[in-house]
Amino acid sequence: MPTVTVLPHPEYVPDGASFQVDSAASVCDALLDHGVDIEHACGKVGACTTCHVIIKKGFDSLNAPNENEEDMLDMAWGLQAQSRLSCQAIVSADDLVVEIPKYSINHAKENA
């Protein structure tokens, strides 16, 4: 089972986290299943950027992003070369190190 290490984030996981996950799970589901309550405003269908993460280790082991994901990522805050929508990134057999950006764009939350 691959290990997912989440770097500290002041809101979602202040002390960081590390846990083992099943291959074939999305990064978003792996985070949610282990108490990291990352936003996923579109219901994990790749139609927003609230679950944007940066894969610091293991990026090449993930499935390739499709065109829709790449288009959505263009709108993400803090986009980097190793950015993915966590709801679309599928874990393989390799370990991952995940960084959750400091901000996300969630219009529904901002207008509440």
Side-chain angles (χ1 to χ4, degrees):
M1 292 180 86
T3 299
V4 174
T5 301
V6 185
L7 300 178
H9 182 281
E11 182 178 347
Y12 298 114
V13 58
D15 297 323
S18 186
F19 44 83
Q20 291 189 315
V21 300
D22 290 327
S23 295
S26 73
V27 172
C28 187
D29 284 338
L31 294 171
L32 293 169
D33 289 348
H34 291 88
V36 181
D37 293 326
I38 190 167
E39 291 184 52
H40 50 286
C42 71
K44 301 185 279 188
V45 298
C48 72
T49 63
T50 59
C51 72
H52 167 228
V53 295
I54 301 159
I55 307 298
K56 295 293 198 174
K57 176 184 171 194
F59 181 83
D60 291 334
S61 71
L62 300 171
N63 61 311
N66 63 29
E67 187 175 328
N68 180 62
E69 180 182 357
E70 289 177 343
D71 289 345
M72 291 307 303
L73 281 168
D74 286 341
M75 296 183 272
W77 184 91
L79 182 66
Q80 295 187 16
Q82 294 178 311
S83 288
R84 291 295 305 266
L85 297 181
S86 66
C87 68
Q88 301 300 301
I90 305 301
V91 178
S92 71
D94 293 353
D95 294 344
L96 299 176
V97 175
V98 177
E99 177 182 8
I100 301 171
K102 185 175 181 180
Y103 302 107
S104 74
I105 300 170
N106 184 344
H107 297 294
K109 184 176 178 181
E110 292 168 3
N111 294 328

